[in-house]
Amino acid sequence: QVQLVESGGGLVQAGASLKLSCSTSERTVGRYTVGWFRQAPGKGREFVGRDFVAALTKSDGSAYYADSVTGRFTVSRDNAKNTVYLQMNSLKPEDTAVYYCAASKGGTYYYRALYDYWGQGTQVTVSS
């Protein structure tokens, strides 16, 4: 099974940028859809409260984004490093959350329940 480890979180001011990394134990291109989800403070129970942020599909590597981050966040992949990135620009206080990357053997990218493997998460805090 693939293992995922997130890094790159931190505390920044509104308007700043951060780049999250998701290091995987094996290559994901052609094998897994890789998604980014986030869970804001106090939002529901663990896992249930995780919202879709962005994903790269298994089939052709197409990128998809939640409406709230479109135009500000970019998901990409470095196949040589087995790493998927989430570049976050123009951060807002409402982006504060624990960010998780996840891998799915299927092609559906939006539903968290369809992801098979999860990382431990990395905290992003945006101050106003």
Side-chain angles (χ1 to χ4, degrees):
Q1 63 183 34
V2 64
Q3 296 178 330
L4 307 99
V5 178
E6 304 95 334
S7 61
L11 171 63
V12 297
Q13 291 189 330
S17 298
L18 274 177
K19 188 173 185 178
L20 305 184
S21 299
C22 174
S23 177
T24 61
S25 59
E26 60 184 83
R27 59 182 290 159
T28 57
V29 61
R31 298 181 180 180
Y32 300 96
T33 291
V34 179
W36 285 95
F37 290 77
R38 65 186 181 186
Q39 184 155 13
K43 184 172 181 182
R45 293 179 290 119
E46 187 171 354
F47 187 76
V48 174
R50 297 180 188 178
D51 295 325
F52 171 75
V53 176
L56 289 174
T57 59
K58 167 185 175 180
S59 57
D60 59 4
S62 295
Y64 294 90
Y65 301 93
D67 290 344
S68 59
V69 307
T70 297
R72 300 188 298 124
F73 290 13
T74 302
V75 60
S76 62
R77 174 163 41 201
D78 185 330
N79 296 329
K81 296 182 177 180
N82 288 346
T83 301
V84 176
Y85 301 100
L86 184 68
Q87 176 68 47
M88 306 186 296
N89 299 328
S90 302
L91 283 163
K92 305 175 181 180
E94 51 263 43
D95 294 318
T96 295
V98 178
Y99 283 72
Y100 299 89
C101 68
S104 168
K105 298 176 183 177
T108 304
Y109 61 88
Y110 185 82
Y111 298 102
R112 60 180 175 273
L114 297 182
Y115 283 78
D116 305 287
Y117 309 102
W118 291 82
Q120 83 289 349
T122 186
Q123 177 71 48
V124 172
T125 303
V126 185
S127 63
S128 58

